[in-house]
Amino acid sequence: MRELMRLCRLRVTPVLMAASLLAPASLHAAERLEYLVQYKGVLSGFAWTDVSRAAIHSSTLADCSGRGPCMTSTATMSSRGYAVLEAIFKVRFHTRSFYQPRQWRTLAFEMRERKYSKQYLPYGYKHSLSVFPPGEDGIDYFELGAEGEPLPAALQPFVATDHLPAAGIRVAKVRRKPIADDSIDRLTLLQRVRAAPLKKGYSAAYNGTNGRKQLQFRVTVLSAEDFTIADKQWQTWKIRVDELEKGDRPVSLFAWVSRDSRKIPVKIEFDSTFGSARFVLQSW
């Protein structure tokens, strides 16, 4: 399931407020995409089985903590209501990214996922916030919890408070990581790919980060493919995305993006040690 989270964090969705000011032409205001997550492997008898739901929603902010207008995309995933996964490993996942499409700059991103070890965080979530400090090198990686120093007021807008009031979210630890200033997170990557002039043979590479490590993302358009999903015939580009960390083998997944002006991620699929997983578009 952790591999599945990799692309959940790579997730999907655009928006626009001052369209002419911020957003590339391919981005759309207040877009919400919803997906059914399926698994196929030994635990499902090698048949595709529904295991959770995922959604990605975007909005535009007039000001991002004093750094000007930006877009924010939020990806959530939950296995609530799906007995197969709930019985093995309950998934509750939330990630949110703040980025400026004009320069394709990530400002900050938050990640929160259910953690069942009570020794780790008192309120039950593994929670982090990564922020590129303006005018400085590297990225500040905050480990958040219910104990520690108060979260600086300037950073509180970057943290969702649906699970806990801002005053209850504390900084357990903060470290400055040597990450390239032009690095983007996975949600920003997805929107950057959607804004690219996709065609067969297109390829690009970007510096990336998960807040703790320097990564590289490589994107390649492999082919044009047509298929039916959600009772609609889709014409898509099949795209391979490789995530590389120095010294490690690349983690690869495939995304099918619609060949129209919206460039909607219609399907995302990848293999893991335990089988295959895919996100299938349900509403858009």
Side-chain angles (χ1 to χ4, degrees):
M1 212 32 152
R2 193 157 300 276
E3 288 86 350
L4 185 103
M5 296 294 84
R6 286 182 181 272
L7 202 13
C8 252
R9 295 166 187 163
L10 206 172
R11 255 43 7 194
V12 308
T13 321
V15 203
L16 145 152
M17 136 195 150
S20 58
L21 171 67
L22 271 180
S26 62
L27 297 188
H28 299 260
E31 183 184 66
R32 180 179 177 85
L33 304 175
E34 297 188 0
Y35 295 85
L36 178 64
V37 184
Q38 299 178 313
Y39 162 80
K40 181 174 71 173
V42 64
L43 298 177
S44 67
F46 297 98
W48 285 112
T49 302
D50 301 344
V51 293
S52 66
R53 289 273 177 174
I56 302 163
H57 176 259
S58 296
S59 59
T60 305
L61 302 179
D63 183 73
C64 283
S65 194
R67 299 175 67 174
C70 74
M71 290 187 177
T72 177
S73 290
T74 302
T76 58
M77 180 175 166
S78 173
S79 59
R80 193 187 307 273
Y82 291 87
V84 172
L85 192 54
E86 285 282 293
I88 302 171
F89 184 82
K90 296 178 182 179
V91 170
R92 305 288 186 272
F93 179 79
H94 162 107
T95 185
R96 186 167 61 153
S97 175
F98 298 81
Y99 53 96
Q100 294 175 322
R102 192 176 185 88
Q103 304 86 5
W104 287 115
R105 174 188 301 145
T106 294
L107 303 179
F109 57 98
E110 172 194 24
M111 287 193 282
R112 191 177 82 223
E113 61 184 301
R114 176 67 82 186
K115 184 75 175 181
Y116 287 93
S117 171
K118 294 182 179 180
Q119 297 177 348
Y120 189 82
L121 288 180
Y123 59 76
Y125 284 94
K126 181 179 180 181
H127 195 185
S128 68
L129 174 67
S130 302
V131 180
F132 283 98
E136 301 180 33
D137 294 330
I139 193 171
D140 288 332
Y141 180 75
F142 294 83
E143 294 183 18
L144 305 178
E147 299 178 355
E149 298 295 320
L151 183 66
L155 301 185
Q156 290 182 12
F158 293 136
V159 176
T161 55
D162 57 301
H163 71 301
L164 199 68
I169 301 174
R170 317 286 284 190
V171 178
K173 187 182 298 184
V174 59
R175 288 164 287 179
R176 176 66 59 88
K177 298 289 187 177
I179 303 296
D181 294 343
D182 64 348
S183 298
I184 57 178
D185 70 299
R186 297 177 178 110
L187 274 172
T188 304
L189 170 68
L190 182 63
Q191 306 308 345
R192 187 164 189 175
V193 169
R194 293 181 70 184
L198 301 178
K199 61 182 181 180
K200 186 175 180 180
Y202 173 87
S203 64
Y206 310 107
N207 283 328
T209 184
N210 57 9
R212 295 173 290 108
K213 300 177 181 180
Q214 183 70 64
L215 307 173
Q216 186 182 54
F217 300 129
R218 294 180 184 171
V219 177
T220 305
V221 177
L222 300 177
S223 60
E225 294 190 5
D226 300 344
F227 51 81
T228 300
I229 279 183
D231 297 322
K232 176 179 170 58
Q233 181 70 23
W234 295 90
Q235 296 179 323
T236 70
W237 293 115
K238 182 180 180 180
I239 300 172
R240 175 179 174 134
V241 180
D242 296 315
E243 179 180 301
L244 300 95
E245 180 185 335
K246 187 176 180 180
D248 285 354
R249 297 176 59 185
V251 175
S252 301
L253 49 85
F254 298 91
W256 285 259
V257 175
S258 63
R259 298 199 313 268
D260 56 19
S261 61
R262 293 186 64 185
K263 298 179 183 175
I264 297 173
V266 176
K267 182 172 66 169
I268 297 167
E269 191 169 320
F270 52 87
D271 294 328
S272 73
T273 305
F274 304 103
S276 301
R278 67 184 182 188
F279 291 73
V280 181
L281 185 67
Q282 299 296 291
S283 65
W284 58 93

